[in-house]
Amino acid sequence: MAGRRAGAGAGARALLALLALRALGAAAHPQCLDFRPPFRPPQPLRFCAQYSAFGCCAPEHDSALARRFAALAARVDAAVWAECAGYALDLLCQECSPYAAHLYDAEDPSTPLRTVPGLCEDYCLDMWQTCRGLFRHLSPDRELWALEGNRAKFCRYLSLDDEDYCFPRLLVNENLNSNLGRVVADAKGCLQLCLEEVANGLRNPVAMVHARDGTHRFFVAEQVGLVWAYLPDRSRLEKPFLNISRAVLTSPWEGDERGFLGLAFHPGFRHNGKLYVYYSVGDDDFREWIRISEFRVSEDDVNTVDHGSERIILEIEEPASNHNGGQLLFGDDGYLYIFTGDGGMAGDPFGKFGNAQNKSALLGKVLRIDVNRNERGPLYRIPPDNPFVGDPAARPEVYALGVRNMWRCSFDRGDPATDAGRGRLFCGDVGQNKFEEVDLVERGRNYGWRAREGFECYDRKLCANASLDDVLPIFAYPHKLGKSVTGGYVYRGCEYPNLNGLYIFGDFMSGRLMSLRENLGTSQWRYSEICMGRGQTCQFPGLINNYYPHIISFAEDEAGELYFMSTGMPSATAAHGVVYKMIDPSRRAPPGKCQIQPAQVKVRSRLIHFVPKEKFIRTTESNRRPTARTPTKAPRRSHPTAARPAPTPRATRRPGRRRGGRRRGRPGTDDPEPSDGAVRLVRPAGLSPGRGRVEVFAGGRWGTVCDDAWDIKAAAVVCRQLGFAYAVRAAKRAEFGEGRTLPILLDDVRCAGGERNLLQCAHAGLGSHNCDHQEDAGVVCSREDPDL
């Protein structure tokens, strides 16, 4: 009898689970009791077989539940067990449900787990009739035991606040179970991912690389010329790995493209200790050039470079201060690939056809050289299969041409199972004034600049030249989406199987995260935008759903997991840079599959342990990006051209940079005025103009400023924005009323007094605060000097 009841229950549950997995509809939010996404078990489960395709149990957990089931059978009276074995199986196996965290109220790790999953009322009432005594053996909760005699209170106690997730109704809830285990997309097709903060306090982090030496360290380069070593636990060594800041040419100006731009470790680094850097230099005569140098790691400390070991491999004069390129990569062939810009200015005006189309120039190219075995003889050699070897009109270093300013390139590691795609070279090439593009770079090919920008003609005479034989990009996007592409990587990591094969990249100016996936049948690439998970999608401990908008670079760690670096203020001296790891909240690899065993590293420097600063921002909608102010400082970090476009409508105007801003999810292109950073005063009846509570527009919405240290310098910024010449007083603690109908957007605002708006002042992250509305900030402004 017990076996038949349990077997029948298992069969019904398997059918319900199958229906759930096949259901189509809206996106779901699965989460396990360890606060992480569900997974496909490495082998079918024997006890909770209905979750063999997807759930939260590995075989070890499944076996433990089977042992608990057997122990219950031994404790419970045989007659009761005959009626209740199926219910016991139901309840125990909910720990394996993809929605276990919801069933056990585990979304908040600071509160205790329920001892019994949340039950739907009809199921509970039915169970109570015959099996209420079972709960004394399932749960140690004495409060539940005390309710055993009251059917209504008993089932109310076992209910969930969110009835959508109660068992067993959630098994056939199409809204929850559609596309279960797939990357969640919103109604507009924007893929919802989450982030994990990895490093912070960096000054324009331009590169993050690993040494391929088994240590799983990662090295983050700042634009000023410092490289920091991080251990796998994310602690940073206090002593820089490399410091060439005195030699590097850059400036504090927002948007300066010069500086330390690239870093690559030799494939044989663990044996030869060699690494290569790409940086800007200059002299007193205002001449500038780029330099590629070789260094060796110190013999005494593997976490420090021997600064006396520098050997200059190659230098190329730069006619302008922008379009400096900066990527260094080693391919599977062991050769060093160097990506240079076209020399700067607008339209590549150098020579008859520009640098990029001139095979005898090294600018506007992908170069390929051999730096192996260079201890004696030349510092580099020409690979014999370089495409223009033997062409007297070409430099033999040239591997590909027609490049404007490729900003961030990467080699595809290939599919982990089949190796498909391995060795493909992806690059983001920054456009002129209309289009940004992503290219697949191949030997000897011409990528069209300055004849072509994206798919369109730029120089019509050159574009009409039949001998150009240029290669079209795999993807191009107009400037209404972004104005400075940042190339990324094809995801080939272990932890998030759904992302395998997805090329993820971004835009420096708009803050968009984007993706391309190849259709293997047509070789076409399908575009999907990436936005931050909405609602509860990213509400796992340690995850966040917002980031700073200026996406500088992407990176892989040694295991192939994907990261990107961005900043709230694109200045080489502003420590607003953060490194983020990309997380798919819908599915992960089974536990144990992606374990790494880093080789031990002897550490001589003091360690600075990582402390995350960013917070999850609770919202009921997809997060939006803030629109930044128009740039006013020069020179600019414009990957785009130095020519400043005329103002255009808000939907397509060039976004600028703002201090401390965060892009918060999916951008929109139809936002009405006001612009980000706008302020207004809200004043109770009876107050004169120029007095009131401060409200600010940021991230696509109005909110309040809440600051227990609000001062007259910050008030002066507000008054100036509102057209008042003088700030008379900075008020706080709700003197002018509490803004309870709006969110608190800014806290810890610290202004020098000369900023154009509050968003340029130092402040806590947008939406992050530790105060309440009683501390709402206010001002008293005046058009006349109050001291006269």
Side-chain angles (χ1 to χ4, degrees), residues 208-436:
M208 170 180 156
V209 299
H210 61 87
R212 308 191 206 187
D213 61 353
T215 65
H216 288 268
R217 292 173 294 171
F218 58 93
F219 301 84
V220 179
E222 295 180 314
Q223 188 177 352
V224 290
L226 284 90
V227 179
W228 302 98
Y230 291 79
L231 299 183
D233 66 359
R234 299 180 184 172
S235 57
R236 177 173 68 83
L237 276 67
E238 184 179 48
K239 182 179 180 181
F241 176 71
L242 175 67
N243 183 356
I244 55 172
S245 55
R246 290 187 177 182
V248 169
L249 175 65
T250 189
S251 76
W253 293 108
E254 291 184 29
D256 194 340
E257 296 186 24
R258 303 165 300 177
F260 189 106
L261 302 174
L263 170 67
F265 286 83
H266 193 281
F269 172 77
R270 71 169 74 195
H271 305 296
N272 61 29
K274 290 183 178 181
L275 60 142
Y276 297 83
V277 300
Y278 185 128
Y279 63 98
S280 303
V281 290
D283 62 18
D284 293 338
D285 294 326
F286 301 103
R287 293 187 307 121
E288 299 179 7
W289 59 96
I290 53 175
R291 174 180 292 167
I292 290 87
S293 287
E294 176 188 277
F295 286 89
R296 286 182 183 268
V297 74
S298 171
E299 293 183 1
D300 300 325
D301 186 353
V302 295
N303 291 307
T304 305
V305 165
D306 177 0
H307 290 75
S309 67
E310 181 176 14
R311 297 199 300 167
I312 298 173
I313 300 294
L314 179 65
E315 290 187 333
I316 306 171
E317 188 171 350
E318 282 281 357
S321 295
N322 58 342
H323 300 188
N324 299 305
Q327 184 75 60
L328 293 177
L329 293 173
F330 277 95
D332 286 343
D333 52 20
Y335 298 134
L336 179 62
Y337 291 71
I338 304 167
F339 301 79
T340 64
D342 65 6
M345 302 189 188
D348 192 8
F350 308 102
K352 186 175 181 181
F353 303 114
N355 281 324
Q357 291 298 324
N358 181 0
K359 295 178 184 176
S360 66
L362 295 181
L363 293 172
K365 305 293 188 300
V366 180
L367 311 178
R368 181 179 182 240
I369 62 176
D370 182 357
V371 293
N372 298 298
R373 299 173 298 280
N374 65 351
E375 290 77 11
R376 295 189 179 90
L379 292 169
Y380 70 88
R381 296 176 176 83
I382 304 299
D385 62 341
N386 267 13
F388 303 111
V389 171
D391 183 346
R395 288 290 296 261
E397 296 92 341
V398 175
Y399 181 77
L401 67 151
V403 169
R404 186 173 182 271
N405 190 39
M406 283 183 166
W407 183 251
R408 295 317 180 223
C409 303
S410 64
F411 281 106
D412 185 355
R413 291 186 178 212
D415 184 274
T418 67
D419 222 28
R422 184 177 181 88
R424 294 182 299 179
L425 179 53
F426 290 80
C427 285
D429 198 9
V430 178
Q432 174 71 35
N433 53 19
K434 289 185 178 180
F435 298 99
E436 306 297 306

